[in-house]
């Protein structure tokens, strides 16, 4: 239920993300929505029912798809989208 509400609120955000990188999956867009809420890896893992290590890998893959350098803050980038 919570994730469905997050998706409703973030529809415009997902569209802006698609303009930045058209090859993002819906799951990756949803992951960005959770990052936009400033949730920690542990909190995201609990919500998505995955391990914190899987969250770390998802963040790594997302960084590559968005062409973000490793020194750029992902939370700040997501907030600007």
């Amino acid at each position: 239920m919570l994730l469905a509400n997050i998706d409703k609120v973030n529809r415009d955000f997902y569209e802006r993300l698609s303009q930045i990188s058209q090859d993002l999956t819906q799951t990756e867009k949803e992951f960005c929505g959770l990052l936009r809420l400033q949730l920690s890896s542990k909190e995201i893992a609990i919500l998505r029912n995955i391990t914190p290590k899987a969250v770390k890998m998802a963040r790594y893959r997302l960084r590559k798809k968005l062409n973000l350098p490793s020194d750029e803050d992902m939370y700040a980038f997501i907030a600007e989208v």
Side-chain angles (χ1 to χ4, degrees):
M1 183 73 168
L2 175 65
L3 292 177
N5 288 334
I6 291 171
D7 287 343
K8 285 181 187 177
V9 172
N10 285 323
R11 282 192 184 143
D12 293 336
F13 172 68
Y14 295 159
E15 289 178 21
R16 291 191 303 270
L17 273 176
S18 293
Q19 292 172 354
I20 293 171
S21 179
Q22 295 180 357
D23 61 341
L24 289 178
T25 65
Q26 185 61 32
T27 303
E28 290 168 332
K29 291 176 192 175
E30 291 169 0
F31 184 76
C32 287
L34 296 173
L35 290 175
R36 187 174 184 214
L37 295 174
Q38 301 284 320
L39 297 178
S40 69
S41 294
K42 188 174 182 179
E43 292 167 327
I44 293 172
I46 291 168
L47 284 174
R48 306 283 297 178
N49 198 26
I50 58 176
T51 65
K53 185 175 180 177
V55 173
K56 183 177 178 180
M57 286 304 301
R59 185 177 284 135
Y60 172 77
R61 285 188 214 103
L62 186 61
R63 185 177 285 281
K64 289 189 92 146
K65 277 193 172 183
L66 294 173
N67 294 319
L68 288 176
S70 59
D71 61 338
E72 187 170 345
D73 183 16
M74 182 175 272
Y75 287 104
F77 174 81
I78 296 293
E80 292 176 6
V81 172

